[in-house]
Amino acid sequence: MQTHRRFVALVLAATFVVPTTALAQAYPSRPVKLVVAFAAGGPTDVLARVVAQGMSKTLGQQVIVENRVGGGGTIGTREVVKAQADGYTLLFAGDAALTVQPQLTANAGYDARQDFTPLRLVASQSNVLVVNASKGIPDVKTLLTRAKGKQGELTFGSAGNGSPSHLIGALFEGQAGVDLVHVPYKGAAPAMTDLIGGQIDMMFVGTPVALQNAARKELVLLAVTGDKRLPSLPQVPTFAEAGISQLGSETAVWWSVMAPAGLPAAVQSALDEALRTALSDGQVQKNLTTQGVDVLNLDAKTTAQWISRDQAKWGALIRAKKVSAE
């Protein structure tokens, strides 16, 4: 009788262990889809393709980027939420799609803390405050003096309501104690065009855009978010150097790779190892840093912590400023 019970226990144990082991050995047996919720050629898409190439090498299967555009990133994100949790559909996500859009859009259809298995934080970038040179504002001190003397007159542009450039601008207003006029655009490109033309006074832009326009005589780069100056823009001080301490690294724009909730542990482990190895590769790192970002290569636990942190931070700002997607 005791021998029979031991046999039954072994059979039951094998029932649970073998499929997981087999799954780990079999995965991946076909190409993996990496969804990007933004247009081809944009910053998120460019970074995703670098990561996909690195993952293809480490997984031994092709990782194919597919663009699913619309809804500020919510359409592509929802597609991954609804996908089977088998490791063959992943999301290359910008932070706003995970932490901002669900709080701006009533029908976003997902909660990043519940509906995803975080895999790894890929990269982040600082933001640079850029002003039109014709405004005669050479530094943050001058900007603050001007803004406080003319509350509600200076304008700042953004890529749209609820975009990172909008929220960081709103955060700057609160920390600096100034009142600016927000001018939302349908994308960063038209906002930058008007900034160069002098139709708006200032704008927060990502590091790549700042680098592309650093030599333009029409623009002045005033300060950079983050805890230290950028090696690529050593002449631009941090906001902390200018006396504004709450625009540090916690305001960085970041990207991560996510999977649907319920991903089997063995598949998660395989994907984590593939990502960790890819992001440690010298050529991948070079290709990413060329885009003006800092490689993070941080684990799933840290990814989840960043999501929770930013949901709380941006949620509080959205409520305080009554920000909407309209």
Side-chain angles (χ1 to χ4, degrees):
M1 188 69 174
Q2 186 175 2
T3 302
H4 174 72
R5 287 175 179 170
R6 185 179 298 116
F7 174 75
V8 171
L10 289 171
V11 170
L12 289 173
T15 300
F16 291 102
V17 172
V18 171
T20 301
T21 304
L23 182 63
Q25 292 173 343
Y27 178 85
S29 60
R30 64 179 191 270
V32 175
K33 178 169 66 175
L34 184 62
V35 174
V36 173
F38 297 95
T44 301
D45 176 74
V46 171
L47 297 177
R49 291 179 188 278
V50 173
V51 173
Q53 186 176 17
M55 289 182 70
S56 296
K57 181 180 177 181
T58 55
L59 283 174
Q61 286 284 350
Q62 189 175 8
V63 177
I64 303 168
V65 172
E66 290 194 10
N67 300 89
R68 294 288 183 266
V69 182
T74 59
I75 291 177
T77 304
R78 278 199 302 269
E79 178 180 312
V80 177
V81 168
K82 296 176 182 178
Q84 186 174 349
D86 56 6
Y88 289 100
T89 302
L90 308 175
L91 176 70
F92 191 87
D95 61 320
L98 297 175
T99 66
V100 175
Q101 288 301 327
Q103 303 188 76
L104 290 176
T105 308
N107 61 348
Y110 60 89
D111 182 331
R113 294 169 298 181
Q114 301 175 8
D115 297 327
F116 287 101
T117 300
L119 294 176
R120 193 158 277 264
L121 277 167
V122 174
S124 68
Q125 72 174 19
S126 298
N127 288 276
V128 182
L129 178 57
V130 183
V131 301
N132 183 278
S134 68
K135 308 303 175 181
I137 302 174
D139 50 42
V140 174
K141 181 179 179 181
T142 304
L143 171 60
L144 297 183
T145 300
R146 183 87 57 87
K148 290 176 180 178
K150 296 182 177 181
Q151 293 280 20
E153 290 190 19
L154 292 178
T155 59
F156 80 94
S158 78
N161 287 314
S163 65
S165 51
H166 176 200
L167 295 182
I168 293 172
L171 187 63
F172 169 72
E173 284 184 286
Q175 295 299 322
V178 297
D179 181 20
L180 306 174
V181 178
H182 173 228
V183 183
Y185 288 80
K186 293 183 178 180
M192 176 56 69
T193 298
D194 274 8
L195 176 63
I196 293 170
Q199 282 75 39
I200 54 176
D201 298 320
M202 68 193 81
M203 181 180 174
F204 279 89
V205 301
T207 307
V209 177
L211 290 171
Q212 291 167 12
N213 293 278
R216 297 189 73 101
K217 295 181 180 179
E218 301 95 334
L219 302 175
V220 179
L221 279 55
L222 291 194
V224 61
T225 62
D227 301 323
K228 57 185 179 181
R229 295 193 182 198
L230 298 175
S232 54
L233 295 170
Q235 77 281 11
V236 182
T238 65
F239 279 95
E241 291 178 88
I244 302 174
S245 61
Q246 299 302 312
L247 289 172
S249 58
E250 71 278 3
T251 62
V253 174
W254 49 265
W255 293 267
S256 64
V257 178
M258 311 286 286
L263 189 70
V267 176
Q268 181 178 355
S269 178
L271 284 167
D272 177 74
E273 178 61 19
L275 273 166
R276 186 195 64 78
T277 302
L279 293 171
S280 299
D281 181 82
Q283 188 59 51
V284 171
Q285 290 185 348
K286 181 179 178 181
N287 291 343
L288 288 172
T289 55
T290 297
Q291 301 303 319
V293 303
D294 297 317
V295 178
L296 295 176
N297 202 4
L298 300 175
D299 62 15
K301 181 179 179 180
T302 306
T303 306
Q305 290 172 342
W306 281 37
I307 290 171
S308 294
R309 178 199 71 184
D310 282 10
Q311 280 191 333
K313 174 184 66 186
W314 296 127
L317 183 66
I318 287 167
R319 292 188 294 273
K321 291 282 188 176
K322 298 180 180 179
V323 177
S324 72
E326 301 301 324

